[in-house]
Amino acid sequence: MYSVVIHSPHDLRLGSMDSPGVPEDHAVTVRIDKGGICGSDLHYYHHGGFGTVKIREPMVLGHEVAGTVVAVGKAVDNFALNDKVAVNPSMPCNQCAYCRANMRNQCTDMRFFGSAMRFPHQQGLFRQKINLPAEQLVRLSAQTSLEHAACSEPLAVCLHAVRQAGPLSGKKVLVSGCGPIGCLTIMAAQHSGSHWITASDLSQPPLDIAVQAGANAVIDVARDASAFQKLSENKGTQDVVFECSGSPKALANAFEAVKPGGTIVTVGLGGNGELPLSLAVTKEIKMVGSFRFDPEFKQAVELIDRGIIDVTPLISAVLPFQEARAAFDLASDRSRSMKVQLDFS
Ligand SMILES: [Zn+2]
Ligand SMILES: [Zn+2]
């Protein structure tokens, strides 16, 4: 069987590997069906990693997958053959101080599929079959699309961001940066009762998808900076800003757009830059980070499974895994794609 392996920047290859064999007692063999290419996969593809996290050995990419159960360990009684499942890629240790304090997304010994943070690296999920502990899986209904279910992980990230914002019912919300995480944040914010969602980005194609995701208004900041400036009238107009682009400039702009007493949630992970901190003081702005997820994974799967959140507008292309390189190039082009998936079936 095959996997999709990054060797060094732009050196992405199909790797042949042994089939996983009979699963251990508490494990299940999953035949991967669809896998979404994430921003972090693209960082490994283009730059070999991000910040201090760099690949130091070949690594199977991928952490956003869904598939079908094809073998069940002896002690597993909650999964059966042919069950469709979404895979939770996050494996906190359950023992460190943060895990014990119910902050498992802050685990100091986290293992996360397709991540070079540890050495040896935690190999990823872009492969045809894998044995996984049953506790990493969430069952789907038989009619659920595995393409949709493979969006559970990024949706979980956005549900966590919405939780960090506090109640959104009746609120005016700005989502800054409309890649997959921005668009899923729009869906999550709408689900949580936001009254009016404005989406901003530096280009038009992602904004077209933001509208399909549920944005009530969009601003192309590159073409119409004055429309964005209007958001800062009367000391700011937005109750909550979700900054999803990771751009320090966009985060600085959020300080202008947010109302006095409002909240900025930083979801995008970018570089460091200057922020108008005097506005944080005079407008009494609350700023809160959002990192990964924990119970939100199961919630994300359920929202997709029950058709409450429909991620259809997000999935821009599905390519066979044999064309992984073309898929990664396509996913890197924001003018042509939102979420690109690999088909392992
Ligand atoms: Zn992801
Ligand atoms: Zn831990």
Side-chain angles (χ1 to χ4, degrees):
M1 65 164 216
Y2 289 97
S3 60
V4 176
V5 185
I6 187 78
H7 288 254
S8 59
H10 292 282
D11 185 1
L12 186 71
R13 305 182 207 166
L14 291 186
S16 88
M17 63 195 321
D18 292 337
S19 276
V22 178
E24 287 181 18
D25 288 1
H26 293 275
V28 161
T29 307
V30 177
R31 188 177 64 222
I32 307 289
D33 187 84
K34 299 293 186 308
I37 298 173
C38 182
S40 62
D41 297 315
L42 292 174
H43 274 287
Y44 290 120
Y45 178 57
H46 290 287
H47 314 294
F50 35 86
T52 54
V53 179
K54 297 277 182 208
I55 37 168
R56 289 185 278 158
E57 61 177 344
M59 182 175 80
V60 178
L61 289 176
H63 59 266
E64 301 178 2
V65 307
T68 306
V69 172
V70 292
V72 180
K74 282 192 210 115
V76 175
D77 53 12
N78 51 344
F79 290 97
L81 286 185
N82 296 321
D83 276 352
K84 287 183 175 180
V85 290
V87 178
N88 184 344
S90 165
M91 293 178 285
C93 75
N94 287 325
Q95 283 170 16
C96 73
Y98 292 107
C99 283
R100 282 184 281 127
N102 202 22
M103 295 170 70
R104 304 196 323 156
N105 59 327
Q106 299 289 349
C107 175
T108 52
D109 196 22
M110 175 67 92
R111 290 181 301 141
F112 200 93
F113 282 103
S115 164
M117 221 170 257
R118 307 167 68 106
F119 191 85
H121 301 333
Q122 185 69 47
Q123 300 290 321
L125 299 171
F126 284 170
R127 58 177 89 194
Q128 292 178 288
K129 266 187 209 171
I130 187 169
N131 285 353
L132 294 165
E135 64 190 18
Q136 295 305 123
L137 308 178
V138 180
R139 194 187 9 255
L140 304 157
S141 9
Q143 74 278 4
T144 296
S145 139
L146 291 171
E147 285 177 22
H148 289 192
C151 294
S152 299
E153 190 266 347
L155 179 59
V157 168
C158 302
L159 293 176
H160 186 69
V162 161
R163 171 169 295 182
Q164 294 294 82
L168 288 183
S169 180
K171 301 255 171 92
K172 273 192 174 177
V173 168
L174 170 67
V175 175
S176 151
C178 295
I181 291 296
C183 287
L184 287 168
T185 297
I186 291 170
M187 292 178 181
Q190 193 185 45
H191 172 67
S192 295
S194 301
H195 163 67
W196 188 265
I197 303 173
T198 304
S200 65
D201 200 279
L202 288 172
S203 71
Q204 190 59 43
L207 291 173
D208 295 336
I209 296 171
V211 170
Q212 296 174 48
N216 303 97
V218 296
I219 301 174
D220 180 342
V221 183
R223 281 213 310 231
D224 191 0
S226 65
F228 193 89
Q229 269 158 16
K230 280 211 180 97
L231 299 181
S232 49
E233 279 174 0
N234 292 320
K235 290 187 158 191
T237 55
Q238 304 300 304
D239 296 297
V240 177
V241 180
F242 293 97
E243 207 309 290
C244 301
S245 75
S247 142
K249 179 83 173 64
L251 182 54
N253 289 342
F255 281 75
E256 309 280 347
V258 75
K259 265 183 183 172
T263 302
I264 299 174
V265 184
T266 56
V267 193
L269 201 54
N272 297 315
E274 260 185 43
L275 296 175
L277 290 176
S278 53
L279 283 181
V281 176
T282 59
K283 287 167 68 171
E284 302 184 321
I285 295 167
K286 301 180 210 40
M287 192 168 116
V288 55
S290 183
F291 185 56
R292 292 183 172 157
F293 52 85
D294 185 25
E296 295 89 355
F297 185 80
K298 196 155 181 272
Q299 292 155 9
V301 175
E302 284 172 8
L303 288 169
I304 290 174
D305 194 47
R306 293 163 63 195
I308 296 169
I309 286 187
D310 179 6
V311 297
T312 307
L314 215 74
I315 301 165
S316 49
V318 183
L319 274 73
F321 74 91
Q322 293 90 338
E323 294 169 31
R325 220 173 297 162
F328 271 69
D329 287 335
L330 181 63
S332 308
D333 182 351
R334 294 192 79 223
S335 69
R336 290 191 296 151
S337 30
M338 182 58 67
K339 177 62 78 186
V340 177
Q341 292 185 341
L342 296 175
D343 186 349
F344 292 91
S345 63

